[in-house]
Each structure stands twice: as structure tokens, then as C-alpha cells.
Amino acid sequence: MTTTEYLDHAIAVAEEMLLAPSAPRRGDRDRLADYVKYVGRPEPAAESQQAFAEQLTHLAKLLGALDMKTLSLNVAGMTLRHMEISEADHEVYGASVWNELGALLAEHGELERSRLILCCALGRAKRGSDAPERGRILANLGAVSLRMGHIADAEVWAGKALRELDTYWGDEDREARMTADWVFLEVAREHEDISRLDSAMEQFDQSADDVIRLKGGDHPTAIAARRALATAKYEKAAATHDVERSERQLGEMEIVKLNASALLGARHRETIVAQAALAVAEFDAASGGSGSLLRRQRAVCLLETAEEMAVDVLGRGHAQTLAIREALAHLREATVQPDDLPYLIDHTYTPQQNDLRNEAKRTAINAEGNVIRLIAHAGASYFLDDLDIFYWQIRAALQRGVLFHVILSSPWNNLAIFMHHGTESDRACENIVDRVKASDYYRKTYVPVIRSYLSLRKEFPGQVELKLTPTDLSGSTLITSEVSFFEPYITTNPQHRTRRGLMVFEHRFRKDSKYYADSQAAFLAQWELTSTWEQFRVHEERHKGRLRALLATQSDDRLSKNDDADDDADGAGGESGEGFMGGAARRP
């Protein structure tokens, strides 16, 4: 069969499975997977490439609806590559094709890729064209920006979408209008603005009703709309301390969750999201009164179940899973004593994921509103602007009023002896300080870091404080109010601990992990035991003297070891000689 025939067969089988009254059998899934395996991209010169891309996107959507997520994402990726190659010389695909693919990737939690593709689609869409595609794209950009946490951007995109729809199409594209109204609803919730929330709920309620009449009450979009509206109504009642109405809206949220489970299945994304929303609201409602602790514990269990299902169904890295995981961290922190927290690793970054690690740290720093804590050997990534790693994020945080507390290694700590390792100079113990001062670590990292610290401290008085420790550090630790990061040091040579990417691995912990609590405790203990910059300067010569003494002791130990070895050799030689001579004397 040709590629097109394989694609037609795959779509037919997927549609048949989706419409079947019973759950798909294993054999049907295997048959569909076999068809998909032979679906490739057409030759660049083939006709009807736009129709082929539309069919591929449709197949990816069907696979997603059948809970074949990995296969769906693979087909979406293949579609994108096919479209990019086809457009190497000229434009082939209209805005609608790019928009559909962008929306599909957003469903898979691929938000950054989705945003880029939707921006490409927006560039293709003409103002006032014969289809309301521009309004749909703008609404989708608003929804994606919202899920990425870019609240201000989401509001702008949604406003543009509504203006576009009002200007050219009125109410013709109801789903795009509902998406834009949903963004405004979520923005009002984020800002906790009751007056805006009232207006946004009224508008969203109307547009959601239009879509539900169009698609039916059992459609996932209808379930999602009802869940969003019930959640907003609960939050308004809670904000106005209307306990009776709050409990009534909790009942509505539970009905939405039960309907989602009955109509879509327990493993459907909208069911999982509805359960998570219900758990968070239940936890919020259980404040004070008898039985509140038990109610909160039940809410935590409900959210833990939602998180487990999200990981299993959507994947650990899916945007929705991460949102549920973050909510769970907040709930656990409020109910579990630090000593009882589980040891959880949220993510592990390998050297091949250095850029992802850096981006995660930037996100954490950008989100911080209280205090940032750092333990590091030299801190170059945070203090040196020419490296362009975290300096500008730290500076922006300071401008927001955030505190920055830092513990760094003293250049005269015990690790400095490794700069001498391998030398045979008799005066090594005397010139070790000069060797440190001549090193790249001291000249290009330590001195510029201290200079940057003093400059920032002058610009942001009372916000930046640096302390130095004379002891070795086992690794670098970054702690914010929500997460912490830990990277162990594999090398003991100070020269190899700075100005380099991730060498081993780095763990990220959320605040509901015992690792996070231990990291906080370790930092606070170190903070009490270390010297401020002023104290260090006063006693710096003593720190240098201790380093010289340490190296002298090590040199004495090495010399003593060599002397012992020589004595052993001499002793062994004498006994051997006596034995030989004695043997000779007895010869006849």
C-alpha cells in the first residue's frame, strides 16, 4: 500500500475504535499501531500536501482521544517535520493547518512548541479574510500563554481575539470566543479581583452555554467549561466568606467530576483536572472547625490520586501534571510536619540537559518574591554578568525587593592544597597563597564575584549578603520558596568547579520533599557558622596561615612516609645480607 492508503486505513480504524460502544481491544490497538508505523511523509513534490498534513493532524487527534498519547505525539512531530520541509522554498500550508497543529501540541503539554507554531499561524492569517481563523489563533495563543504562566501575555492575546471576533465575525466562532472568555476568567481568578471575576463569569457562562448547546453536554470541552465555571464560583464565594454558597459550589464541582468520570472515563484528562480542582477547593474549604484536619487530609489524598493518574496518563513532564504537582506541594507543606515529609525527587537533570536545568533555575528565580538562598563554591553563574547565566534574573529579583543570601567557599579553604598537588617544590607550603592568587579560579572568578557582590550590595542595601566558609562544600544548592536544586561536586580541585556546565547531575526538589526541608536546615546551619565579608577580611591573614600550616603538615606527612619507606628498605637489605653471608660461611 502507499503512504496515503496506510494513512486512510489508520484513520478509518481509529474512528471505528472511537465510535465503538465498548473499549477498544488489544488487537485493534495493535492493528492501528501497525498502520501508523507505515505512515510516512509524502515526497515534497507530491500534490495535496495541505490535505495530507490535515489528515495527519486528524489522525494524531484520534490517537490522543484513544489514549495512545505517545503515538499521537509521534504523529504530530512527524507532521511538523513534513510541513517544515515542504515549506523550505515557498509557503504551502494555510493558517488553519498550523493552528490545528499548534492546538494539538498544546493538548500534549508541549506549550513552547505550540506557542511558536501558533505564532507562525498568526503570520499566515489575513485580517478580515474569508474565515475567522485569526480570532481562533489569537484565542489559542491566550490559552497557551495562560498555561505557561504568562498571565499578562494571555490577557493581551485574549483581548485581541475578542476584538477580532467582534469586528469580523460576531458570534460565528463560538468556541474561539469561549476560549478567550475563559482566559479572562482565569486572569480575574489569578488577580483575585471580585468585580472582574463577576463580569468574567457572566461572559464566560454565556459563551460556555453556546458551546455546550453546539457540542453537547458530554463533550470534553463542555466538561472543562463547567469545571472552570464551578471553580470560579466557589472561589468567589470563598473570597466573600459565604460559607453556605461555598459548600454548594463544592457540591457542583463534585458533580462535574462525577459526570466527567462517567462520560469520559476515570483516566481522561478532564476527569483528572476536575478531581484536582475539587481536591484543592476541598482543602481550602476545610479551615477551622471540628474535623477540618481530617477533611484536609482527605483532600490531600484526593490530589495525590489525581497526580498519580496525571503522571500515568499524561506523563510526568506534561504541563497539567506539573500544575497538579505544584498544587500538591502546597497542600502537603500545610499539613505534614517537616520530619514526616517523604523523600521526593521532582526531577533529575543530566549533563545533556544543562540548558533545561538552567531554564528551570531561571524560572524559579523569576517566580521568587521573598528570599533566594545559594550555597556554591564560587557563585560565578549568579554574580558575573558576562557569563549571562543567572545574573540578570538575580538582578531583576533584587529590583523586586527579594533578598539574596549566599554562602561561598573561602579561597583559603582546605581544597586549595589540590592546586599544589603534583609539585615537588620545597617551598610549596610557603608559596601556596601565591599559587592560589595566580590561579584562574582566583583571578577570573573569585575576585570578579566579590567585586560584583560589593557592587550589588551598594546598589541594593540590606538585600544582598555574602558569607564565606573555610570548609569544603559537597555541592551547590539553590533554594527558593517553592523549590530547591542540588548538584554534587565530583572534583576536589577548585580550578575545575567554576565556569563550566553541569558535570554530573542535578536534582530538583519541591517544598513537599524532605530533601527540600533538609536543604533549608543545612543552609541555616551553615549561615550561622560562616563569616560575613567584613569578618573574613579582618581575619583573612589567619585563614591564609591555616592553609600554609595544613600544607606544611601534609608535606611533613609525605616526607615521614618516604623516610619510613627508606628505613624499611634499609632494614630489609641488612637482613638479606646477613642471611646470604651466614649461608656462605657455612659452606664447606
Side-chain angles (χ1 to χ4, degrees):
M1 289 192 292
T2 65
T3 294
T4 303
E5 289 173 333
Y6 275 118
L7 178 56
D8 290 339
H9 277 76
I11 290 174
V13 171
E15 289 177 339
E16 180 183 335
M17 290 169 61
L18 202 58
L19 294 173
S22 58
R25 294 171 304 199
R26 179 69 187 178
D28 294 332
R29 288 180 175 272
D30 292 342
R31 182 161 59 105
L32 177 56
D34 286 339
Y35 281 132
V36 173
K37 183 169 62 176
Y38 292 104
V39 173
R41 65 172 188 266
E43 294 299 320
E47 297 181 359
S48 303
Q49 291 196 54
Q50 174 145 335
F52 186 82
E54 289 173 344
Q55 283 186 292
L56 280 175
T57 304
H58 180 54
L59 174 60
K61 287 182 177 180
L62 292 170
L63 292 169
L66 289 167
D67 202 22
M68 301 172 75
K69 306 295 183 183
T70 301
L71 209 53
S72 173
L73 193 54
N74 289 343
V75 172
M78 179 178 65
T79 307
L80 177 58
R81 295 191 299 273
H82 157 62
M83 292 169 65
E84 289 171 340
I85 291 173
S86 300
E87 291 202 339
D89 301 315
H90 61 283
E91 292 185 4
V92 176
Y93 304 101
S96 62
V97 182
W98 289 103
N99 184 36
E100 287 293 320
L101 184 59
L104 175 62
L105 287 171
E107 289 181 14
H108 282 291
E110 299 279 330
L111 300 182
E112 182 58 28
R113 290 173 74 191
S114 171
R115 187 187 66 82
L116 293 173
I117 292 170
L118 290 171
C119 285
C120 174
L122 188 61
R124 300 288 170 87
K126 308 297 182 183
R127 292 182 183 274
S129 58
D130 59 354
E133 201 62 43
R134 187 177 171 84
R136 295 171 186 159
I137 297 166
L138 290 165
N140 285 338
L141 277 166
V144 168
S145 297
L146 183 71
R147 291 176 62 190
M148 293 178 74
H150 304 159
I151 306 300
D153 293 351
E155 188 172 10
V156 171
W157 288 123
K160 289 179 179 291
L162 289 178
R163 285 193 294 274
E164 184 79 22
L165 293 168
D166 287 339
T167 302
Y168 296 107
W169 301 104
D171 291 327
E172 290 189 32
D173 200 317
R174 295 172 182 173
E175 192 164 357
R177 181 172 294 279
M178 188 195 75
T179 300
D181 286 337
W182 170 69
V183 171
F184 277 118
L185 178 67
E186 295 298 314
V187 170
R189 287 179 57 205
E190 183 71 24
H191 291 308
E192 299 180 350
D193 187 328
I194 298 299
S195 60
R196 288 180 64 183
L197 189 59
D198 275 333
S199 174
M201 281 196 301
E202 182 180 352
Q203 193 62 45
F204 180 74
D205 198 359
Q206 180 180 336
S207 58
D209 278 345
D210 291 340
V211 171
I212 291 171
R213 281 196 299 270
L214 182 68
K215 291 182 172 289
D218 58 348
H219 194 277
T221 302
I223 300 290
R226 287 186 172 130
R227 182 257 309 161
L229 191 59
T231 303
K233 287 180 177 179
Y234 164 76
E235 291 181 354
K236 181 194 171 184
T240 56
H241 307 290
D242 189 334
V243 177
E244 184 178 347
R245 182 175 295 178
S246 295
E247 293 296 331
R248 191 160 59 246
Q249 288 307 135
L250 278 174
E252 288 295 322
M253 293 179 70
E254 186 166 10
I255 290 171
V256 171
K257 185 263 177 185
L258 293 172
N259 285 340
S261 183
L263 297 171
L264 305 176
R267 290 171 53 83
H268 194 278
R269 183 182 67 182
E270 291 304 334
T271 305
I272 296 170
V273 175
Q275 178 168 323
L278 175 62
V280 171
E282 282 280 2
F283 187 90
D284 177 71
S287 57
S290 60
S292 60
L293 178 59
L294 183 60
R295 189 175 180 184
R296 283 192 165 198
Q297 289 172 341
R298 284 200 301 264
V300 171
C301 290
L302 189 64
L303 192 57
E304 286 175 338
T305 304
E307 187 234 3
E308 290 171 3
M309 288 194 297
V311 170
D312 186 41
V313 175
L314 305 176
R316 188 172 297 276
H318 193 282
Q320 194 64 64
T321 305
L322 297 177
I324 294 173
R325 183 73 187 81
E326 183 176 355
L328 181 57
H330 284 285
L331 268 58
R332 277 184 177 149
E333 184 197 29
T335 55
V336 182
Q337 294 297 317
D339 289 343
D340 297 329
L341 288 169
Y343 281 103
L344 299 173
I345 297 174
D346 187 57
H347 192 85
T348 298
Y349 300 93
T350 63
Q352 294 74 28
Q353 298 172 311
N354 188 62
D355 290 343
L356 288 175
R357 183 275 302 259
N358 288 349
E359 189 56 38
K361 284 187 170 182
R362 292 188 190 102
T363 299
I365 294 170
N366 289 338
E368 183 55 42
N370 184 22
V371 56
I372 297 168
R373 296 182 173 94
L374 173 68
I375 298 176
H377 182 76
S381 299
Y382 299 84
F383 281 100
L384 301 187
D385 59 351
D386 61 308
L387 296 184
D388 194 23
I389 302 178
F390 307 122
Y391 172 82
W392 298 108
Q393 285 73 31
I394 291 294
R395 185 177 183 82
L398 293 171
Q399 290 170 340
R400 298 194 303 270
V402 174
L403 303 180
F404 187 33
H405 293 170
V406 183
I407 298 172
L408 299 182
S409 287
S410 158
W412 319 120
N413 76 1
N414 54 355
L415 289 187
I417 64 174
F418 287 93
M419 294 185 182
H420 157 70
H421 184 67
T423 65
E424 300 298 333
S425 170
D426 293 335
R427 299 184 64 253
C429 60
E430 298 177 15
N431 66 14
I432 182 62
V433 169
D434 294 333
R435 290 175 64 83
V436 170
K437 286 185 174 180
S439 68
D440 284 347
Y441 150 70
Y442 188 88
R443 292 183 302 106
K444 296 181 180 180
T445 300
Y446 174 73
V447 171
V449 163
I450 295 299
R451 190 181 299 125
S452 175
Y453 158 64
L454 294 174
S455 175
L456 288 172
R457 189 176 71 168
K458 182 178 180 181
E459 186 176 355
F460 303 98
Q463 290 181 239
V464 189
E465 187 169 358
L466 181 147
K467 292 189 173 186
L468 293 115
T469 177
T471 59
D472 181 24
L473 298 173
S474 60
S476 70
T477 303
L478 174 68
I479 308 172
T480 69
S481 297
E482 300 296 327
V483 295
S484 66
F485 296 82
F486 175 72
E487 176 194 1
Y489 291 134
I490 196 172
T491 177
T492 50
N493 191 331
Q495 298 274 59
H496 302 154
R497 284 191 175 186
T498 63
R499 293 178 178 268
R500 49 129 185 99
L502 181 59
M503 292 181 66
V504 190
F505 58 84
E506 183 150 0
H507 291 317
R508 182 181 70 201
F509 317 117
R510 292 192 183 272
K511 63 182 180 181
D512 63 334
S513 170
K514 186 67 165 61
Y515 289 119
Y516 178 91
D518 289 350
S519 298
Q520 285 272 36
F523 181 93
L524 295 175
Q526 282 265 39
W527 191 252
E528 293 298 320
L529 297 171
T530 47
S531 305
T532 65
W533 169 246
E534 285 75 18
Q535 292 167 339
F536 176 78
R537 291 290 290 161
V538 169
H539 301 293
E540 188 167 12
E541 290 304 317
R542 292 171 63 182
H543 289 296
K544 293 177 183 177
R546 289 193 186 98
L547 176 60
R548 292 189 185 101
L550 175 65
L551 188 56
T553 301
Q554 186 199 41
S555 298
D556 290 345
D557 288 345
R558 291 174 65 187
L559 288 173
S560 174
K561 181 180 178 182
N562 290 337
D563 290 343
D564 291 345
D566 290 343
D567 290 343
D568 288 345
D570 291 343
E575 290 172 3
S576 176
E578 286 179 2
F580 177 75
M581 293 302 292
R586 288 192 294 270
R587 290 178 68 182

